[in-house]
Amino acid sequence: MMKIAVIPGDGIGKEVMNASMLILEKLDLPFEYVWLEAGDEAEKKYGKALPDETLEEIKRCKALLFGAAGESAADVIVKLRQELETYANLRPVKSFKGVKTIHNNVDMIIVRENTECLYKGLEFGVSEGVTVGIRVISREASERIIRFAFELAKRDKRRKVTALHKANVMKKTCGLFRDVFREIAKEYEKYGIESEEYYVDAGCMYMVMKPNIFDVIVTTNMFGDIISDLAAGLVGGLGLMPSANIGEEYGIFEPVHGAAFDIAGKGIANPTAMILSSAMMLRYLGFLDEAKRIEKAVEKVIAEGKTTPDLGGKLKTIDMTKEILKNVQ
Ligand code: NAI
Ligand code: MG
């Protein structure tokens, strides 16, 4: 049996995790699920958003399924990504049949650096009314993530890798990221993989106006966070966006969205992002067939309009989940 850590967390994290587990339990997988606590509620209960026992137990598992944390997100999920060295945050962005948005054929994947940049947490007050935050960009981490992006392009037969940065202004930090990108891009020319760069602000405009110029996108941590939600808006919202955090030895699988307190407790959260994140975990662990069965079922249910209100449907989380369950062959 493979041990899988499960952290539902706060807000809709719990609701979408329950949905996702119903789907996983239908498949005959050799998993033992280890339910753990972390997040705002854990902080109230134990005085620590990521209790030591939770972290130790996670490390004894093969992978982690994570719902969402609330205000303690930085102390939980950002910490976990650094602690478990899951340096690559993968966020596939794909149009779904049956979802009305401004574009209907988006297909790109965001590869976000996950361990440094402004997310290092190096923030200080320097004097009354003045604060600073330190942006760390290293050659080592840049090389690792950029290489990951090109390897992914090579493996999945994608045509192009685009770097988003702001090297005209952040000359040192983004400048280093850009230089490393250019070096590595050269190595992959022989595989026919193109490379391209945009300043992140212009890149955002193009993402909205002509998303098809993007294929694989590689960027630093903070920009990656922002463009992920922008990209979510292109395909129908955060309820649809799964993600994987991948390292040499560990994987964390979680929706791109957070605890969504505005809809928590109402039973209307879209479970798709979490369910597709669990499918990403199955792919990572080598259960390709099971992953495909989940993905197909989700696509079918969405195409038929059997959805939660965020996509214009009338179903509750549990009813949409039951529809998906029915279709998991
Ligand atoms: P959010 O991602 O939770 O929600 C943004 C908007 O998208 C909300 O209007 C929400 O209703 C909607 N939405 C998100 N997921 C949805 C779903 N599955 N179905 C339908 N609608 C959905 O971001 P927000 O509101 O900025 O943050 C709420 C809390 O979550 C905060 O405490 C924040 O710190 C935390 N957070 C945690 C994250 C994590 O644990 N990875 C990531 C982002 C935010
Ligand atoms: Mg985010």
Side-chain angles (χ1 to χ4, degrees):
M1 292 291 247
M2 248 181 223
K3 279 170 80 169
I4 307 292
V6 180
I7 298 182
D10 303 313
I12 65 164
K14 288 199 188 57
E15 302 166 35
V16 297
M17 185 63 81
N18 286 338
S20 190
M21 294 309 285
L22 287 175
I23 309 283
L24 285 176
E25 275 159 11
K26 177 155 181 195
L27 300 165
D28 201 17
L29 294 157
F31 294 165
E32 181 198 332
Y33 298 105
V34 184
W35 291 74
L36 300 166
E37 290 174 280
D40 298 359
E41 284 180 25
E43 188 164 20
K44 270 199 211 112
K45 227 160 123 187
Y46 308 107
K48 218 170 168 188
L50 181 63
D52 298 343
E53 307 81 73
T54 295
L55 184 58
E56 269 152 40
E57 195 56 52
I58 289 171
K59 287 180 178 166
R60 284 193 277 271
C61 294
K62 200 78 196 132
L64 164 64
L65 276 175
F66 183 82
E71 290 310 306
S72 57
D75 301 325
V76 180
I77 187 66
V78 177
K79 176 131 190 265
L80 280 172
R81 291 169 184 155
Q82 292 174 358
E83 197 60 49
L84 300 166
E85 284 244 21
T86 54
Y87 64 87
N89 188 190
L90 305 187
R91 298 178 152 182
V93 191
K94 210 164 184 280
S95 297
F96 288 80
K97 277 205 187 75
V99 178
K100 282 206 193 74
T101 61
I102 50 175
H103 298 286
N104 56 18
N105 55 350
V106 176
D107 181 6
M108 57 188 158
I109 181 160
I110 297 168
V111 179
R112 167 194 181 194
E113 204 289 321
N114 225 5
T115 63
E116 54 180 26
C117 188
L118 289 166
Y119 282 60
K120 271 279 188 209
L122 300 174
E123 289 196 309
F124 312 94
V126 257
S127 59
E128 185 55 36
V130 183
T131 53
V132 294
I134 297 180
R135 184 166 193 254
V136 180
I137 301 291
S138 69
R139 169 169 282 274
E140 191 189 355
S142 300
E143 208 173 304
R144 187 165 69 166
I145 195 68
I146 292 165
R147 199 170 285 288
F148 190 101
F150 277 96
E151 280 297 317
L152 183 145
K154 191 173 139 203
R155 187 197 69 197
D156 292 352
K157 304 195 167 42
R158 287 186 176 262
R159 67 181 198 282
K160 179 162 79 179
V161 180
T162 304
L164 297 181
H165 57 69
K166 190 78 183 176
N168 52 339
V169 175
M170 289 181 272
K171 294 187 164 54
K172 290 277 181 212
T173 52
C174 273
L176 176 60
F177 189 81
R178 175 203 55 203
D179 292 348
V180 174
F181 178 75
R182 289 180 183 171
E183 285 166 31
I184 294 178
K186 271 205 199 86
E187 289 179 37
Y188 285 83
E189 277 170 5
K190 59 176 177 285
Y191 302 108
I193 300 169
E194 289 170 52
S195 66
E196 197 167 52
E197 292 172 36
Y198 291 101
Y199 294 129
V200 63
D201 43 353
C204 285
M205 177 192 68
Y206 288 127
M207 210 183 266
V208 172
M209 294 186 72
K210 27 183 195 173
N212 289 316
I213 65 175
F214 297 104
D215 195 354
V216 178
I217 294 177
V218 66
T219 191
T220 46
N221 206 338
M222 178 85 247
F223 295 154
D225 189 22
I226 298 169
I227 65 161
S228 293
D229 284 24
L230 185 148
L234 292 176
V235 296
L238 282 166
L240 296 173
M241 287 271 291
S243 86
N245 303 274
I246 306 286
E248 300 300 341
E249 284 165 27
Y250 211 87
I252 306 173
F253 302 84
E254 50 154 350
V256 172
H257 66 71
F261 291 121
D262 55 336
I263 57 165
K266 296 184 179 159
I268 55 167
N270 190 330
T272 302
M274 185 73 237
I275 292 172
L276 291 180
S277 301
S278 67
M280 287 181 89
M281 179 183 80
L282 296 183
R283 282 180 183 276
Y284 169 79
L285 296 172
F287 299 95
L288 291 192
D289 195 51
E290 287 84 351
K292 276 187 207 144
R293 285 160 66 194
I294 294 179
E295 289 156 358
K296 282 224 172 77
V298 169
E299 282 162 19
K300 180 157 181 280
V301 166
I302 292 175
E304 289 169 353
K306 295 173 178 160
T307 69
T308 43
D310 54 307
L311 296 181
K314 292 199 178 73
L315 299 188
K316 293 264 185 179
T317 309
I318 183 68
D319 301 314
M320 182 170 177
T321 307
K322 282 181 183 157
E323 288 297 333
I324 297 168
L325 265 178
K326 262 192 251 164
N327 283 285
V328 175
Q329 304 296 321

